[in-house]
């Protein structure tokens, strides 16, 4: 297992991706934790009424809590807020939440003891991952319900998944030799206030969608060649006149991917077609806009992943100040942009699939089938792609505009960032399967042009596909092929084969 050394407040997106991929972390520069905790201790000793330390929460902030009830106050907070529902968050997301929450608390503005951060890191290192229901947060006042489940598990309440086995939390902690966490003043609130669930889900979505984006560029280039399309629309002079940076980048990549194709050279001169359909010709404009969107999201999440987003915050001796950093609007907007972007990736790809299976548009056999009629070829694979594209359109409605007041109107505007980000996991899978269909169909179309070869950048992609998926010489059970192609997209293997890694560029 890889171990990363993170400096709180200074981690890079690439570091967080390593956590998603299974790395654990150690934190440097943690001296600020104890200093902030001492300030909380001084306030408790002085009896100064301070929100989150010795008061109730939310609408109950005016209720003063006796000193001998402060520990119970924090425990009650966690138990009462652990009311999530729905499927459990994926293990890799929970790992990222643990790391991100620990790094945020370690910045020394939350007032927790070092033992709290140690409990988070200890669970991560041991692979003891709290079972956290995905639904129940509105993305303001922090991701209260899911973070309460995470915290409760560290306290020995609820469930923990340990090496694939779901156990009572107390039993799992015992197995890894970690004592249940007993909360002190302000610590429960610090643990459940914050955007770490929303941010982790959005970052998970970004990493997957970046791989889908790379695969879509590769599939789009392959489809252009398979359909004997033109690479003239990717001329850099066209893109420079527009000036959009993503468009310039995507056009350059498409040119590089197609360069040297024997198929392209076979029809460069004397081609009767005047213009290609938009789904081929306008890839720089559409996919370039998506790339710019991904860059904006990456910039937002790079900041958010390092942020202190609980409340109140310890700003200095005697200063514990209430604010609103827990409001996840930046993450909500980022998630909505990702949803729109991945939806458009799928929309464009589905249209290219439609071209590939249409003999009028492609000049190839109907549905790319040999002995069409007896064989249906990719007829229903295109229908599957259309179904997934439609589902993603429905999911792409912006969550951030759908605020509902909560907590007796104390929390009267919320972001809905959490489910806005959670949907990205399924949307990325849908889009990956759309791209998978295109890759299968484009690879089959290339077979009809043999012995001519496509480009030196795309032939290794075809070889990778053919390692898992044989040519479609006659109808067969296609579901396993689709699953294999989808995994190629989501794993990033296609990007590696073609030398593209957009996430690495965005997180540099």
């Amino acid at each position: 297992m890889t171990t990363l050394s993170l400096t709180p407040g200074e981690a890079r997106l690439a570091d967080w991706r390593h956590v998603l991929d299974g790395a654990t972390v150690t934190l440097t520069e943690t001296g600020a934790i104890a200093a902030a905790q001492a300030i909380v201790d001084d306030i408790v000793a002085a009896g100064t009424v301070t929100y989150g330390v010795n008061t109730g929460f939310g609408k109950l902030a005016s209720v003063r809590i006796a000193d001998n009830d402060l520990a119970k106050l924090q425990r009650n907070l966690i138990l009462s807020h652990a009311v999530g529902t729905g499927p459990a968050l994926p293990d890799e997301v929970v790992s990222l939440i643990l790391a991100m929450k620990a790094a945020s608390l370690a910045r020394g503005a939350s007032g927790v003891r070092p033992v709290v951060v140690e409990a988070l890191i200890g669970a991560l290192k041991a692979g003891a991952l709290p079972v956290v229901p995905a639904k129940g947060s509105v993305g303001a006042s922090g991701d209260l319900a899911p973070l309460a489940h995470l915290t409760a598990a560290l306290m020995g309440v609820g469930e923990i998944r340990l090496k694939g086995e779901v156990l009572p939390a107390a039993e799992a902690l015992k197995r890894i030799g970690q004592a249940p966490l007993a909360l002190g003043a302000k610590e429960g609130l610090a643990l459940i206030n914050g955007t770490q669930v929303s941010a982790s889900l959005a970052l998970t979505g970004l990493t997957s969608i970046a791989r889908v984006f790379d695969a879509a560029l590769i599939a789009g280039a392959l489809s252009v060649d398979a359909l004997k399309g033109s690479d003239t629309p990717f001329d850099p002079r066209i893109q420079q006149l527009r000036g959009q940076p993503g468009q310039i980048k995507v056009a350059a990549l498409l040119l590089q991917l197609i360069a040297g194709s024997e198929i392209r050279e076979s029809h460069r001169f004397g081609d009767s077609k005047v213009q290609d359909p938009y789904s081929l010709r306008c890839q720089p404009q559409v996919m370039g806009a998506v790339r710019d969107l991904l860059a904006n999201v990456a910039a937002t999440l790079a900041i958010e992943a390092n942020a202190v987003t609980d409340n109140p915050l310890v700003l200095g001796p005697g200063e514990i100040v209430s604010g609103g950093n827990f409001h996840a609007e930046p993450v909500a907007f980022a998630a909505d942009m990702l949803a729109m972007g991945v939806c458009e990736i799928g929309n464009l790809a589905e249209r290219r699939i439609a071209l590939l299976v249409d003999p009028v548009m492609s000049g190839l056999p109907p549905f790319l089938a040999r002995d069409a009629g007896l064989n249906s070829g990719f007829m229903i694979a295109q229908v599957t792609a259309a179904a997934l594209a439609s589902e993603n359109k429905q999911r792409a409605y912006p969550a951030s505009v759908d605020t509902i007041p909560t907590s007796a109107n104390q929390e009267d505007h919320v972001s809905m960032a959490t489910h806005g980000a959670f949907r990205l996991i399924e949307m990325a899978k849908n889009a990956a399967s759309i791209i998978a269909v295109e890759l299968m169909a484009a690879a089959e179309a290339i077979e009809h042009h043999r012995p001519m070869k496509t480009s030196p950048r795309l032939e290794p992609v075809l070889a990778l596909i053919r390692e898992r998926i044989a040519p479609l010489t006659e109808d067969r059970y296609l579901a396993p092929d689709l699953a294999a192609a989808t995994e190629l997209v989501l794993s990033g293997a296609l990007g590696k084969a073609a030398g593209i890694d957009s996430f690495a560029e965005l997180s540099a």
Side-chain angles (χ1 to χ4, degrees):
M1 181 182 292
T2 304
T3 300
L4 297 174
S5 180
L6 299 183
T7 299
E10 298 180 15
R12 301 172 302 130
L13 283 182
D15 296 325
W16 301 120
R17 182 166 76 168
H18 287 315
V19 176
L20 281 172
D21 290 340
T24 186
V25 303
T26 59
L27 299 178
T28 65
E29 300 181 18
T30 57
I33 303 174
Q37 184 241 327
I39 293 172
V40 173
D41 288 345
D42 290 344
I43 286 175
V44 172
T48 306
V49 177
T50 304
Y51 174 70
V53 177
N54 48 21
T55 71
F57 308 105
K59 196 75 171 181
L60 302 175
S62 60
V63 179
R64 172 72 162 88
I65 307 299
D67 288 355
N68 59 357
D69 283 332
L70 295 185
K72 186 176 182 180
L73 170 71
Q74 299 298 316
R75 181 177 175 83
N76 286 352
L77 173 69
I78 301 305
L79 298 180
S80 67
H81 284 51
V83 286
T85 188
L89 292 176
D91 287 353
E92 64 271 18
V93 175
V94 177
S95 295
L96 187 56
I97 296 167
L98 288 167
M100 204 178 284
K101 174 57 82 172
S104 176
L105 296 179
R107 291 187 63 181
S110 303
V112 303
R113 295 166 296 156
V115 69
V116 174
V117 176
E118 292 164 5
L120 292 162
I121 295 297
L124 176 61
K125 287 182 176 179
L129 303 177
V131 175
V132 179
K135 300 181 181 182
S137 174
V138 296
S141 256
D143 290 312
L144 297 173
L147 285 173
H149 280 276
L150 182 135
T151 303
L154 299 180
M155 295 162 52
V157 179
E159 294 180 323
I160 286 176
R161 187 189 309 278
L162 181 62
K163 297 179 180 178
E165 183 182 3
V166 175
L167 299 167
E171 173 62 22
L173 293 174
K174 183 178 179 180
R175 287 194 189 183
I176 66 171
Q178 182 167 310
L181 182 62
L183 299 174
K186 194 184 176 299
E187 290 177 343
L189 188 59
L191 281 161
I192 67 171
N193 242 198
T195 64
Q196 286 77 30
V197 174
S198 300
S200 294
L201 285 167
L203 184 52
T204 302
L206 175 62
T207 59
S208 295
I209 291 166
R211 287 173 174 170
V212 171
F213 175 85
D214 290 346
L217 286 181
I218 294 163
L222 199 59
S223 290
V224 169
D225 219 21
L227 291 162
K228 289 191 172 181
S230 174
D231 58 358
T232 301
F234 311 146
D235 188 315
R237 294 169 294 180
I238 297 173
Q239 325 314 321
Q240 290 293 342
L241 285 169
R242 184 77 174 275
Q244 295 289 351
Q247 178 178 330
I248 293 168
K249 176 70 175 179
V250 165
L253 281 171
L254 289 169
L255 277 179
Q256 293 166 18
L257 288 169
I258 297 172
S261 166
E262 293 177 5
I263 299 172
R264 175 63 184 117
E265 294 308 316
S266 74
H267 64 96
R268 186 174 293 279
F269 304 103
D271 195 333
S272 61
K273 291 188 295 184
V274 178
Q275 290 184 330
D276 292 327
Y278 288 3
S279 59
L280 302 181
R281 181 170 24 128
C282 295
Q283 289 184 80
Q285 289 75 20
V286 177
M287 294 294 284
V290 172
R291 192 184 189 285
D292 287 338
L293 181 153
L294 295 180
N296 289 332
V297 169
T300 295
L301 295 182
I303 294 169
E304 193 71 12
N306 283 304
V308 178
T309 53
D310 56 294
N311 179 66
L313 298 175
V314 181
L315 302 183
E319 281 193 288
I320 298 184
V321 180
S322 288
N325 279 1
F326 50 71
H327 199 297
E329 196 81 340
V331 182
F333 284 161
D336 283 346
M337 288 193 288
L338 285 174
M340 290 187 291
V342 74
C343 185
E344 280 295 86
I345 292 171
N347 285 340
L348 200 65
E350 186 279 325
R351 289 293 80 206
R352 294 192 296 265
I353 298 166
L355 296 177
L356 286 163
V357 301
D358 184 342
V360 175
M361 300 299 293
S362 71
L364 297 169
F367 306 107
L368 303 172
R370 291 168 173 80
D371 197 5
L374 176 62
N375 293 303
S376 296
F378 287 90
M379 179 190 293
I380 303 305
Q382 185 269 327
V383 174
T384 296
L388 295 171
S390 178
E391 182 183 331
N392 271 5
K393 291 175 189 178
Q394 295 166 37
R395 289 177 178 266
Y397 179 87
S400 58
V401 300
D402 195 24
T403 181
I404 296 176
T406 60
S407 194
N409 285 311
Q410 175 75 5
E411 297 153 10
D412 57 354
H413 183 279
V414 299
S415 73
M416 300 299 181
T418 318
H419 69 258
F422 181 60
R423 69 183 155 164
L424 298 174
I425 296 174
E426 196 63 29
M427 291 184 75
K429 291 177 182 177
N430 287 346
S433 291
I434 297 171
I435 304 305
V437 172
E438 182 182 8
L439 288 165
M440 292 164 60
E444 192 63 33
I446 294 291
E447 300 290 346
H448 290 275
H449 296 305
R450 296 300 193 194
M452 288 188 295
K453 292 183 178 180
T454 185
S455 71
R457 290 279 290 271
L458 292 176
E459 281 292 340
V461 171
L462 284 174
L464 187 62
I465 293 170
R466 287 292 172 247
E467 286 177 7
R468 295 161 174 79
I469 302 166
L472 191 65
T473 56
E474 62 180 358
D475 283 352
R476 64 172 183 261
Y477 187 49
L478 280 177
D481 294 344
L482 177 56
T486 300
E487 177 56 28
L488 279 177
V489 174
L490 290 173
S491 70
L494 291 166
K496 289 180 181 177
I500 301 174
D501 188 344
S502 293
F503 186 90
E505 294 179 9
L506 294 170
S507 58

